[in-house]
């Protein structure tokens, strides 16, 4: 409820622990019932939880938790929505990623392997489901997410980019798109 209030505009939020298939299923059942739809046309997977630390400081549960959120959660959501999209012959599954989808840094010893796995999984889904009429894409947000410009990537710009990608025609789908703040481009 707090999240829906922050988002405004008649937004409804549905709690979901993406690491648990039963809560994913329940959230989509509530969504279907609330909006009176059989299946969503567009789903954006955007999980915000990470662990930044070097290898000496992480433990196995940090490593596992990052993987569960980045990859296993995406697996559960994809299992819930892709069958309906496949049956209809259309749909969109967008994924919000991070710089760690591409490369690791000393402080991303748990986070980067999980995001790399997410990227590979997204590629597999795109190649499998694209020919079935389903657009799967990954937005790599390469920077700090915050309003205010400068070297930060705006959350509203990320949302606008998801909308743009979800409306692409099937003759020229984007799989991966890199977003960075214009003033931070020299930091790539």
């Amino acid at each position: 409820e707090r999240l829906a209030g922050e988002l405004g505009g008649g937004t409804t939020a549905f709690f979901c622990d993406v690491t648990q298939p039963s809560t994913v299923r329940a959230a989509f059942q509530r969504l279907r019932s609330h909006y009176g739809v059989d299946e969503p046309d567009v789903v954006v997977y955007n999980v915000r939880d990470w662990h930044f630390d070097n290898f000496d400081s992480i433990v196995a549960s940090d490593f596992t938790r990052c993987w569960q959120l980045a990859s296993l959660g995406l697996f559960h959501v994809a299992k819930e929505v892709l069958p309906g999209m496949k049956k209809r012959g259309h749909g969109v599954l967008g994924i919000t990623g991070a710089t760690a989808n591409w490369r690791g840094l000393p402080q991303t010893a748990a986070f980067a392997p999980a995001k790399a796995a997410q990227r590979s999984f997204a590629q597999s889904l795109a190649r499998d489901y694209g020919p079935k009429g389903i657009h799967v894409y990954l937005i790599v947000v390469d920077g700090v997410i915050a309003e205010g410009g400068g070297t930060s990537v705006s959350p509203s710009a990320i949302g606008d980019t998801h909308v743009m990608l979800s409306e692409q025609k099937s003759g020229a789908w984007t799989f991966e798109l890199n977003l960075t703040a214009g003033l931070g481009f020299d930091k790539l």
Side-chain angles (χ1 to χ4, degrees):
E1 292 175 10
R2 181 183 57 80
L3 176 61
E6 288 176 16
L7 295 172
T11 304
T12 304
F14 299 94
F15 171 78
C16 176
D17 177 353
V18 296
T19 68
Q20 301 298 319
S22 61
T23 68
V24 171
R25 195 170 19 266
F28 277 99
Q29 287 170 346
R30 288 191 309 275
L31 179 140
R32 291 175 183 111
S33 174
H34 180 82
Y35 288 106
V37 297
D38 291 329
E39 298 293 335
D41 289 323
V42 177
V43 172
V44 173
Y45 188 77
N46 182 44
V47 175
R48 183 185 174 256
D49 192 11
W50 53 80
H51 186 92
F52 290 122
D53 228 329
N54 66 23
F55 181 73
D56 289 340
S57 300
I58 64 171
V59 295
S61 61
D62 300 327
F63 194 89
T64 302
R65 182 70 177 161
C66 285
W67 174 79
Q68 287 174 327
L69 292 167
S71 299
L72 182 62
L74 176 58
F75 172 87
H76 293 318
V77 169
K79 281 288 190 181
E80 182 64 28
V81 300
L82 289 178
M85 291 179 181
K86 180 180 170 183
K87 185 176 179 181
R88 289 190 323 272
H90 65 88
V92 176
L93 175 58
I95 301 137
T96 305
T99 308
N101 286 113
W102 296 331
R103 63 180 174 263
L105 298 169
Q107 70 274 18
T108 62
F111 185 59
K115 296 304 273 185
Q118 180 187 62
R119 181 178 186 242
S120 292
F121 182 43
Q123 286 175 332
S124 296
L125 291 175
R127 290 188 169 108
D128 188 7
Y129 284 86
K132 298 170 177 114
I134 300 159
H135 184 189
V136 178
Y137 66 82
L138 173 70
I139 295 176
V140 176
V141 180
D142 194 17
V144 175
I145 301 172
E147 292 292 355
T151 59
S152 299
V153 180
S154 161
S156 58
I158 296 168
D160 292 344
T161 304
H162 274 292
V163 170
M164 182 268 299
L165 291 174
S166 73
E167 295 174 344
Q168 283 186 319
K169 304 295 182 218
S170 63
W173 277 345
T174 298
F175 165 68
E176 187 171 76
L177 187 136
N178 174 33
L179 285 182
T180 190
L183 294 177
F185 216 84
D186 63 328
K187 306 291 188 253
L188 292 177

